[in-house]
């Protein structure tokens, strides 16, 4: 008998496959084996969350001294702050769906500043009184932010408690959990 796969789909975080009328599911999806898309308004559950977060941070750190700030996106070479977060997540199986920080802020779930954990995206607004997003970085723990800062600093690690980060902090989002 010839086996036929009718459909394979990822719905939310349930991998669903249909084979000859039989449906099978897996409750948690591993980002290492499946490309996972960020969800608006909620964090995505993945089986190996801490490993993926560590890999995302390591990918970002590996770009220190390598990648350059530019509004022209060329994966791993030139990018702006939101291109940086897009790249390091995508490289580790998490699709943020956009390189626009004003749109990235709608993905994941809100996290209060006092509950930040490694892997959370932090958004800033340096254009007050406007409420738009002007910068994004990734929280790496110990009060530090990894980000594509500007054309002088490029990829760098900053203290969340520094005056610029304190003054311009807008919100944080947890993409995976």
């Amino acid at each position: 008998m010839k086996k036929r796969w009718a459909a394979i789909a990822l719905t939310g975080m349930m991998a669903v496959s249909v084979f000859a009328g039989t449906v099978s599911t897996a409750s948690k999806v591993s980002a290492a084996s499946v490309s996972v898309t960020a969800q608006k308004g909620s964090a995505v559950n993945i089986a190996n969350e801490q490993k993926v977060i560590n890999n995302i941070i390591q990918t970002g750190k590996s770009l220190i001294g390598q990648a350059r700030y530019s509004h022209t996106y060329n994966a791993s070479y030139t990018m702006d702050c939101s291109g940086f977060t897009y790249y390091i997540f995508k490289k580790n199986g998490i699709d943020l769906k956009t390189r626009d920080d004003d749109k990235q802020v709608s993905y994941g779930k809100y996290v209060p500043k006092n509950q930040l954990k490694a892997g959370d995206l932090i958004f800033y607004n340096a254009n007050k009184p406007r409420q738009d997003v002007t910068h994004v970085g990734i929280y790496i723990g110990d009060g530090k932010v990894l980000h594509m800062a500007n054309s002088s600093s490029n990829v760098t690690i900053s203290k969340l408690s520094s005056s610029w980060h304190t003054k311009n902090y807008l919100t944080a989002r947890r993409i995976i959990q």
Side-chain angles (χ1 to χ4, degrees):
M1 177 174 139
K2 187 174 182 181
K3 295 182 180 181
R4 295 181 192 212
W5 287 98
I8 298 175
L10 182 65
T11 58
M13 279 311 300
M14 297 293 282
V16 179
S17 60
V18 179
F19 172 72
T22 304
V23 177
S24 65
T25 63
S27 60
K28 282 197 171 185
V29 176
S30 165
S33 63
V34 175
S35 179
V36 176
T37 302
Q39 301 296 310
K40 286 189 176 187
S42 64
V44 176
N45 291 309
I46 59 172
N48 53 352
E49 168 207 5
Q50 197 54 56
K51 180 179 179 185
V52 173
I53 289 169
N54 291 343
N55 289 343
I56 289 168
I57 292 168
Q58 273 311 116
T59 301
K61 286 181 175 180
S62 75
L63 296 175
I64 295 173
Q66 304 298 316
R68 300 284 174 234
Y69 184 91
S70 174
H71 288 290
T72 303
Y73 182 81
N74 183 354
S76 81
Y77 300 106
T78 60
M79 59 196 77
D80 62 8
C81 60
S82 53
F84 173 73
T85 54
Y86 173 86
Y87 174 78
I88 64 175
F89 273 76
K90 183 79 168 175
K91 185 88 171 153
N92 290 283
I94 311 297
D95 186 0
L96 294 179
K97 296 178 81 171
T98 180
R99 294 189 310 265
D100 182 340
D101 53 11
D102 284 311
K103 293 178 181 168
Q104 283 181 0
V105 73
S106 67
Y107 289 93
K109 71 176 183 179
Y110 167 77
V111 179
K113 193 174 185 179
N114 65 354
Q115 293 177 25
L116 287 171
K117 70 178 202 172
D120 291 342
L121 291 181
I122 300 175
F123 295 89
Y124 301 89
N125 175 9
N127 284 342
K128 292 178 181 72
R130 292 177 53 188
Q131 290 298 311
D132 63 334
V133 175
T134 59
H135 189 63
V136 60
I138 182 170
Y139 186 70
I140 61 172
D142 298 322
K144 296 178 182 172
V145 181
L146 176 65
H147 58 122
M148 177 64 86
N150 53 46
S151 59
S152 299
S153 301
N154 297 306
V155 180
T156 191
I157 296 173
S158 303
K159 291 183 179 179
L160 185 58
S161 62
S162 73
S163 61
W164 189 92
H165 288 269
T166 301
K167 176 183 170 185
N168 297 301
Y169 182 94
L170 181 63
T171 191
R173 307 293 288 189
R174 183 159 298 146
I175 304 299
I176 58 175
Q177 61 183 15

